[in-house]
């Protein structure tokens, strides 16, 4: 993709680096090949961006988007995906059900990470799927952290009430049975960063595998995974 030129070369080089590592983590050689920047210049700029936490390095020395980008734009999919990739396998193993991570995008919730169990009946939500905010436990959680104007707009057509949103805000989680889809149950927990709700971590599966309520069955595992993810962030 052609990059915009601001006329400020140093700024443009830094932006080019950030855009490049957002594709996937890269070491110095890979980053130099992808950006066409001299290694010495690239190392100096990347190290400075790392110092300001716009970049981070993993155990293999590869640069990736850093936490400062997340703080400026807390729903950045790349940052959330990195944390989710470590947490979702544990959540799927603990529950035996499908797990997803959703962020708010206007009047939609967007799946930015998803993982299904290898066997059995599954609720498959592909990464990039856009679902309305009008139904489901993740919708309630995300709406709990949304602006009052958006809450009012969505609640006029929602399958739940303002009291349900208030409960999700107070509890930090929501659970539903056959609200988004017949025969489907789900539990979602809020992901917080510095106070606001920035995402919803969910488990969903067939309602006939629920013992008691969805929260009785999956709630503890989802809440534990949410707190682990916040630590990853």
């Amino acid at each position: 993709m052609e990059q915009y030129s601001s006329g400020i070369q140093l700024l443009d080089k830094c932006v080019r680096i950030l855009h490049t590592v957002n594709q996937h983590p890269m070491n110095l050689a890979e980053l130099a090949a992808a950006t066409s920047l001299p290694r010495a210049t690239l190392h100096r700029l990347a190290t400075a961006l790392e110092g300001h936490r716009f970049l981070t390095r993993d155990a293999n020395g590869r640069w990736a988007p850093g936490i400062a980008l997340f703080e400026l734009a807390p729903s950045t999919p790349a940052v959330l995906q990195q944390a989710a990739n470590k947490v979702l396998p544990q959540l799927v193993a603990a529950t035996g059900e499908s797990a997803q991570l959703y962020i708010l995008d206007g009047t939609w919730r967007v799946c930015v990470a998803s993982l299904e169990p290898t066997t059995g009946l599954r609720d498959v939500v592909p990464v990039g799927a856009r679902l309305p905010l009008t139904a489901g436990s993740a919708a309630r959680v995300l709406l709990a952290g949304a602006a009052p104007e958006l809450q009012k707009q969505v609640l006029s057509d929602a399958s739940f009430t303002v009291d349900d949103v208030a409960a999700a805000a107070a509890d930090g989680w929501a659970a539903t049975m056959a609200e988004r889809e017949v025969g489907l149950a789900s539990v979602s927990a809020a992901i917080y960063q510095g106070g606001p709700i920035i995402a919803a971590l969910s488990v969903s599966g067939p309602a006939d595998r629920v013992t008691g309520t969805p929260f009785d069955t999956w709630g503890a595992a989802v809440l534990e995974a949410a707190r682990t993810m916040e630590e990853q962030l």
Side-chain angles (χ1 to χ4, degrees):
M1 182 178 67
E2 184 178 351
Q3 296 291 331
Y4 166 77
S5 176
S6 68
I8 306 173
Q9 292 187 7
L10 186 61
L11 174 62
D12 289 343
K13 289 174 182 177
C14 289
V15 171
R16 192 189 314 174
I17 292 168
L18 293 173
H19 276 293
T20 303
V21 299
N22 192 52
Q23 300 173 26
H24 60 81
M26 295 185 185
N27 60 30
L28 183 62
E30 294 168 333
L31 196 51
T35 61
S36 300
L37 293 173
R39 285 200 181 197
T41 299
L42 181 60
H43 187 269
R44 176 170 55 86
L45 294 179
T47 301
L49 288 168
E50 182 183 359
H52 285 289
R53 301 187 303 148
F54 285 101
L55 291 181
T56 186
R57 264 188 280 191
D58 63 18
N60 296 315
R62 298 175 302 179
W63 276 291
I67 192 65
L69 291 173
F70 178 77
E71 292 170 346
L72 293 173
S75 60
T76 302
V79 178
L80 290 168
Q81 286 171 340
Q82 290 177 36
N85 287 341
K86 299 178 181 179
V87 172
L88 291 189
Q90 303 168 12
L91 185 54
V92 171
T95 61
E97 305 294 350
S98 302
Q100 308 89 26
L101 184 71
Y102 296 97
I103 62 172
L104 186 67
D105 184 15
T107 58
W108 300 86
R109 53 175 162 131
V110 179
C111 180
V112 296
S114 180
L115 188 65
E116 293 83 38
T118 56
T119 60
L121 186 62
R122 292 160 283 179
D123 174 36
V124 179
V125 181
V127 172
R130 298 171 65 84
L131 302 175
L133 281 176
T134 50
S137 61
R140 297 184 184 200
V141 167
L142 290 174
L143 205 57
E149 295 79 8
L150 180 59
Q151 292 182 359
K152 183 177 180 180
Q153 178 183 353
V154 171
L155 283 168
S156 62
D157 296 316
S159 302
F160 47 84
T161 68
V162 64
D163 290 337
D164 294 321
V165 175
D171 298 335
W173 60 268
T176 58
M177 182 79 82
E179 185 171 279
R180 176 169 68 85
E181 186 177 324
V182 175
L184 184 70
S186 70
V187 176
S188 297
I191 301 295
Y192 299 95
Q193 184 69 20
I197 296 173
I198 59 166
L201 182 64
S202 300
V203 160
S204 57
D208 60 10
R209 291 209 285 256
V210 170
T211 302
T213 69
F215 188 80
D216 292 336
T217 306
W218 304 317
V222 176
L223 289 176
E224 181 180 357
R227 302 294 82 78
T228 300
M229 185 170 173
E230 288 167 353
E231 293 172 2
Q232 296 291 338
L233 294 172

